[in-house]
Amino acid sequence: QQQVKQSPQSLIVQKGGIPIINCAYENTAFDYFPWYQQFPGKGPALLIAIRPDVSEKKEGRFTISFNKSAKQFSLHIMDSQPGDSATYFCAASIMDSSYKLIFGSGTRLLVRP
Amino acid sequence: SAVISQKPSRDICQRGTSLTIQCQVDSQVTMMFWYRQQPGQSLTLIATANQGSEATYESGFVIDKFPISRPNLTFSTLTVSNMSPEDSSIYLCSFYRGTTEAFFGQGTRLTVV
């Protein structure tokens, strides 16, 4: 119930492509769903996050789609660039409670020039 | 953006010894978190450290192995005790700025030989 399942494990796209990373959860108490971006040798950095009361959130080239009934959410990267090559983690937490983040297994994205 | 300093950035240690990792934040925070990330893997929460109280450990992690100190609102330490090669990993500290954005240190890459 505490797991967040993420797919795919790795992804290769051409510059300008739209990589899509998917996550699924079981615990309906989760109420905060962030995506983190991690470059080698660095800690994860918050990219974008969504609450379950909205179905989509867009920030720049990054969009989260959220399907509460299916307990799934996904990250879309529009017009992907080689600089987007990194590992992406979805996560979930219960805010106003423990605040601890449960992370997905990560997706290693490579954007070819 | 928040500043979070973690030391050391990396270390190679002999089995049976202990290593203390320090985490310094640029402002006072209530909760700090310690995560472990095995190379190429996801992040797993070790414990939550609140100032003035005992740390709360996640399943599979115990205080004798990973003692944590939280002497004030800007500083925390994690000790990895009686190390074995299985403890080789990246250890990261984290805190929340506000209620939704978690910041991470750059991590301590530990190799036990």
Side-chain angles (χ1 to χ4, degrees):
Chain A
Q1 277 70 16
Q2 285 292 92
Q3 282 189 320
V4 178
K5 295 182 179 180
Q6 183 172 346
S7 63
Q9 186 176 8
S10 63
L11 194 52
I12 301 174
V13 300
Q14 292 295 128
K15 178 182 174 182
I18 305 176
I20 301 172
I21 305 170
N22 301 298
C23 285
Y25 63 98
E26 287 296 324
N27 188 350
T28 55
F30 287 141
D31 59 2
Y32 178 66
F33 303 89
W35 284 90
Y36 281 83
Q37 180 188 56
Q38 185 178 32
F39 294 103
K42 303 291 186 181
L46 180 65
L47 195 60
I48 186 173
I50 198 167
R51 293 275 196 148
D53 53 346
V54 297
S55 60
E56 185 175 280
K57 183 174 181 179
K58 184 176 181 179
E59 288 185 3
R61 295 184 294 108
F62 301 93
T63 298
I64 299 178
S65 298
F66 187 84
N67 186 328
K68 188 174 181 178
S69 61
K71 292 184 283 187
Q72 296 176 347
F73 58 110
S74 60
L75 176 70
H76 302 230
I77 305 176
M78 307 301 177
D79 186 29
S80 59
Q81 302 296 313
D84 296 329
S85 298
T87 300
Y88 293 81
F89 293 96
C90 62
S93 70
I94 304 171
M95 304 307 283
D96 301 327
S97 176
S98 65
Y99 288 89
K100 61 185 181 183
L101 290 165
I102 307 300
F103 283 87
S105 54
T107 296
R108 187 169 296 184
L109 172 66
L110 176 63
V111 182
R112 295 195 187 278
Chain B
S1 61
V3 175
I4 180 168
S5 173
Q6 194 172 332
K7 296 179 181 179
S9 59
R10 59 178 60 228
D11 207 342
I12 300 173
C13 300
Q14 295 291 324
R15 69 176 64 201
T17 63
S18 297
L19 176 72
T20 296
I21 302 167
Q22 300 179 1
C23 184
Q24 179 76 50
V25 181
D26 65 344
S27 61
Q28 295 182 340
V29 297
T30 303
M31 290 186 289
M32 292 183 76
F33 303 85
W34 287 96
Y35 288 84
R36 181 172 72 183
Q37 183 178 28
Q38 294 175 315
Q41 303 294 317
S42 186
L43 288 84
T44 301
L45 181 65
I46 297 171
T48 302
N50 292 333
Q51 195 267 337
S53 63
E54 292 281 332
T56 302
Y57 289 82
E58 298 299 304
S59 176
F61 298 97
V62 295
I63 187 171
D64 290 346
K65 177 67 176 177
F66 298 101
I68 288 172
S69 77
R70 184 79 203 275
N72 58 54
L73 291 173
T74 64
F75 188 78
S76 179
T77 67
L78 170 76
T79 298
V80 186
S81 303
N82 188 25
M83 290 183 285
S84 67
E86 291 70 35
D87 295 320
S88 297
S89 192
I90 301 169
Y91 294 85
L92 301 109
C93 62
S94 172
F95 74 98
Y96 276 91
R97 177 65 49 82
T99 59
T100 56
E101 182 166 4
F103 289 89
F104 287 83
Q106 293 203 115
T108 296
R109 183 178 292 270
L110 170 63
T111 302
V112 184
V113 298

